[in-house]
Amino acid sequence: MRLFRAFAGLAIVCLAQMLLGQHLPAVARRCDLFSVYVVFIALTRPQRPAMLIGSGAGLAQDALTGAVLGINGFKKTLLAYLVGTLGSLFMLNHTVPRFGILFASALFDPLAELGLSLAMGQHYVFPAPGDLLMLGVGNGLLGLAAFWVAARLP
Amino acid sequence: MPRVLAQRKPHLLLFLLLSLNLVLMAASVRGVRGASLLDEAILSIAAPFLKAAAWSSDAVAGLWGGWVDLRRVENDNRRLRAEAGTLMLQAREAEEARQEVRRLRELLALREETGRRAIAARVIARGSAGPARILLLGSGTREGIARDQAVVTPRGVVGRVIEAAAGTSKVQTILDPNSGVAALLQRTRVQGILVGDGDGACNLEFVSELASVDVGDVVVTSGLDEIHPKGAVLGVVTEVGGTRDLTRRVRVRPEVDFQRLEEVLVLAGTQQANREGTP
């Protein structure tokens, strides 16, 4: 049931990301709802379901954005694992560590994609630092908002 | 052990999920040759096996092709041997026909030389007593052959017809001891009677002991027997013996090879009959 709810949440994230991309592309460039969702799940769920949802979220993102199928699945799976591992090692229940994790996830995403692209012999244009900063801040704020809303849901 | 596996389950799941995504990426990403990375990876792994399979296939195909070619060559060989046999038979038949044509041409030329009506006849049998003393011809009275007609070949005189039936006739050769042909030596014109000795040769009898006879002298017909044409070759003197009863013994080897005689010419009508105008 919890897994079903998690996948239902993933569907909502997909819909939201699509709507943002269509109607508010400037906002969509400054936040990655999939990463935020994966970090949220990894911090609130056990590691294994978090990895499954992370992989599903990444594949859904690949399908929606037209990226190479599997590349976001790989990144999000790894992200879920790393965040889950960090969550089991450190106390990440507070706002600042959560913001840090969300910010770091925004940096992790292009770094992982760069590595994968190099491994596959593909070209990859690394985002400008300013864009990365904006994305990290956006992810952090959005993630904190998600945690705040989730804490108030029944 | 199960505990260890349980502890490592997240890592195992991570590994599986990452692998799955890597496979998906490899399948989606195009390599430098236009094929997906998954295809390239699979091809790289499968290449040795594919090469081995191709090599095996080529080897089997080569062996099979060799076997098929061998069978084809064997069949060709068998067929060509049969054809060679047939051709050899045909060549022999052609050679036989060629020789027959040559003999018949010689007979025809002889027939024109003699100026007499001549009948070509095939020798169908030889008498069993002695070396071909008697010959049987495949032509007879139906073709115009009659008793006491001379039988000759381009080589020389064979003998005379002693019996004639409708389809066959019997010839007494000059080898027969009972035969007698009026003869003379071509060089000295000494006359005698050529008689067969019953042993494949002849003797020229009634030759005077004073006559000049040498080995190698040619003996021809004198025409006095009214059967054989004058001047036909009978044989060659091979031996000149001693004298007895005022005559010299002269041995003659016939020119005609009686063992290989196949066609002869029968001179229709004796000289006397020709003179009288009857065949």
Side-chain angles (χ1 to χ4, degrees), chain B residues 212-260:
Chain B
S212 169
V213 184
D214 290 330
V215 173
D217 282 346
V218 177
V219 183
V220 298
T221 54
S222 64
L224 295 176
D225 54 13
E226 303 285 340
I227 294 173
H228 298 95
K230 187 178 179 180
V233 176
L234 285 166
V236 178
V237 175
T238 56
E239 183 183 345
V240 180
T243 58
R244 192 181 67 178
D245 298 336
L246 302 177
T247 59
R248 189 188 293 272
R249 196 175 73 84
V250 179
R251 193 168 176 80
V252 177
R253 174 175 53 80
E255 276 296 281
V256 174
D257 186 352
F258 289 92
Q259 295 300 324
R260 296 180 182 176

Side-chain angles (χ1 to χ4, degrees), chain B residues 38-56:
Chain B
L38 181 62
D39 292 340
E40 288 185 2
I42 291 171
L43 277 177
S44 300
I45 294 168
F49 299 100
L50 292 174
K51 283 180 184 173
W55 182 83
S56 304

Side-chain angles (χ1 to χ4, degrees), chain A residues 14-88:
Chain A
C14 288
L15 184 62
Q17 187 73 43
M18 281 176 64
L19 291 173
L20 274 178
Q22 285 182 1
H23 301 290
L24 298 168
V27 177
R29 280 198 298 272
R30 284 168 176 75
C31 64
D32 182 0
L33 293 183
F34 291 101
S35 291
V36 172
Y37 186 66
V38 169
V39 171
F40 175 79
I41 292 293
L43 290 176
T44 56
R45 296 278 188 276
Q47 205 171 21
R48 277 175 286 175
M51 284 191 292
L52 278 173
I53 292 166
S55 188
L59 290 172
Q61 189 179 9
D62 290 329
L64 286 176
T65 58
V68 174
L69 189 65
I71 193 163
N72 282 304
F74 188 94
K75 289 187 298 185
K76 297 298 188 285
T77 305
L78 200 55
L79 180 65
Y81 173 77
L82 291 174
V83 172
T85 304
L86 287 174
S88 64

Side-chain angles (χ1 to χ4, degrees), chain A residues 47-49 51-52 55 59 62 68-74 77-78 81 116 120 122, chain B residues 6 9-11 13-14 17-26 28-31 37:
Chain A
Q47 205 171 21
R48 277 175 286 175
M51 284 191 292
L52 278 173
S55 188
L59 290 172
D62 290 329
V68 174
L69 189 65
I71 193 163
N72 282 304
F74 188 94
T77 305
L78 200 55
Y81 173 77
L116 286 172
M120 290 187 296
Q122 303 288 308
Chain B
K9 267 186 180 177
H11 301 93
L13 182 64
L14 174 70
L17 289 172
L18 292 181
S19 300
L20 171 70
N21 285 292
L22 275 175
V23 168
L24 287 172
M25 274 188 281
S28 305
V29 174
R30 296 281 157 189
L37 292 180

Side-chain angles (χ1 to χ4, degrees), chain B residues 82-254:
Chain B
E83 285 181 7
T86 306
L87 289 173
M88 282 176 68
L89 194 63
Q90 289 177 352
R92 284 178 193 149
E93 288 174 355
E95 174 62 19
E96 188 66 19
R98 190 182 65 79
Q99 290 190 12
E100 187 175 8
V101 166
R102 181 180 56 78
R103 290 195 304 269
L104 292 174
R105 277 182 180 168
E106 289 174 355
L107 284 177
L108 191 61
L110 178 64
R111 181 177 166 179
E112 289 171 356
E113 276 178 21
T114 57
R116 291 165 63 176
R117 195 171 73 85
I119 303 153
R122 189 178 296 275
V123 176
I124 59 174
R126 292 181 177 83
S128 58
R133 294 179 193 170
I134 302 295
L135 299 177
L136 200 62
L137 304 183
S139 303
T141 54
R142 202 163 42 211
E143 287 79 20
I145 295 176
R147 182 184 166 86
D148 285 336
Q149 288 180 337
V151 180
V152 297
T153 70
R155 302 276 298 178
V157 175
V158 174
R160 69 186 179 99
V161 178
I162 55 173
E163 282 181 31
T168 57
S169 50
K170 191 182 286 184
V171 176
Q172 181 186 48
T173 67
I174 58 174
L175 302 177
D176 195 295
N178 297 316
S179 70
V181 180
L184 56 82
L185 291 169
Q186 194 177 47
R187 181 175 63 84
T188 59
R189 314 311 287 180
V190 173
Q191 299 194 4
I193 303 294
L194 190 77
V195 179
D197 67 352
D199 196 24
C202 302
N203 291 319
L204 186 62
E205 296 182 350
F206 307 111
V207 176
S208 169
E209 62 178 350
L210 300 175
S212 169
V213 184
D214 290 330
V215 173
D217 282 346
V218 177
V219 183
V220 298
T221 54
S222 64
L224 295 176
D225 54 13
E226 303 285 340
I227 294 173
H228 298 95
K230 187 178 179 180
V233 176
L234 285 166
V236 178
V237 175
T238 56
E239 183 183 345
V240 180
T243 58
R244 192 181 67 178
D245 298 336
L246 302 177
T247 59
R248 189 188 293 272
R249 196 175 73 84
V250 179
R251 193 168 176 80
V252 177
R253 174 175 53 80

Side-chain angles (χ1 to χ4, degrees), chain A residues 116-139:
Chain A
L116 286 172
S117 299
L118 289 175
M120 290 187 296
Q122 303 288 308
H123 293 287
Y124 177 69
V125 179
F126 200 80
D131 292 340
L132 271 180
L133 186 65
M134 293 294 288
L135 184 63
V137 172
N139 277 2

